[in-house]
Amino acid sequence: MTTGNPGCGDLVTAAGLDHVRLVYDYLDRGDLDGCGSLLHDAMVLELPGQQAARGRTDALRAHVLHALPGARHVVDRVVAQNRTVIATGRRVTPGSATADQRFVDVFTIADDGLLRTCVRYFHATP
């Protein structure tokens, strides 16, 4: 994983950057408690094709419903500035005949450094 701006400018953004890195690891390991510890109580998660999930519990539920069996996130780049973190990468399913899903996740960071919002975009062939 690479980082576009390692200094990030402020401590809250730096904490958020670390939390974004960790959230993918926790999701890939199926550690929902670990993942939930990084989400703000009022988390809003927007995933393609689903209604926005509001609150920590609903966001975790949406992640579970959105997960592909055996899939993992390969994050190529993370950029952080002004309490916003953008991660680009691929969702890879080993042994699958389907192509990797390229994604961009845009996070906002709450004042306490927890993840406040996330909007996921998938690459689509025009």
Side-chain angles (χ1 to χ4, degrees):
M1 183 178 325
T2 61
T3 303
N5 27 346
C8 303
D10 72 80
L11 293 177
V12 173
T13 302
L17 177 64
D18 287 341
H19 291 158
V20 165
R21 289 178 176 146
L22 284 170
V23 80
Y24 295 113
D25 183 50
Y26 288 147
L27 287 172
D28 291 348
R29 289 191 289 156
D31 183 351
L32 295 181
D33 289 335
C35 182
S37 73
L38 304 173
L39 307 181
H40 191 273
D41 286 337
M43 172 70 175
V44 176
L45 174 66
E46 295 182 47
L47 297 169
Q50 296 183 20
Q51 287 187 343
R54 299 185 184 284
R56 180 182 292 134
T57 301
D58 284 346
L60 289 171
R61 186 178 301 118
H63 271 302
V64 169
L65 294 173
H66 186 67
L68 299 173
R72 62 185 176 80
H73 296 87
V74 176
V75 178
D76 299 318
R77 186 164 186 80
V78 179
V79 179
Q81 185 174 359
N82 297 330
R83 299 185 183 189
T84 300
V85 179
I86 299 172
T88 65
R90 294 166 282 123
R91 195 164 68 161
V92 177
T93 307
S96 173
T98 61
D100 298 348
Q101 289 183 303
R102 291 176 20 205
F103 68 85
V104 174
D105 286 341
V106 180
F107 296 88
T108 59
I109 311 303
D111 290 341
D112 58 6
L114 296 177
L115 306 180
R116 176 65 177 87
T117 66
C118 177
V119 179
R120 171 164 284 185
Y121 301 93
F122 281 123
H123 172 77
T125 303

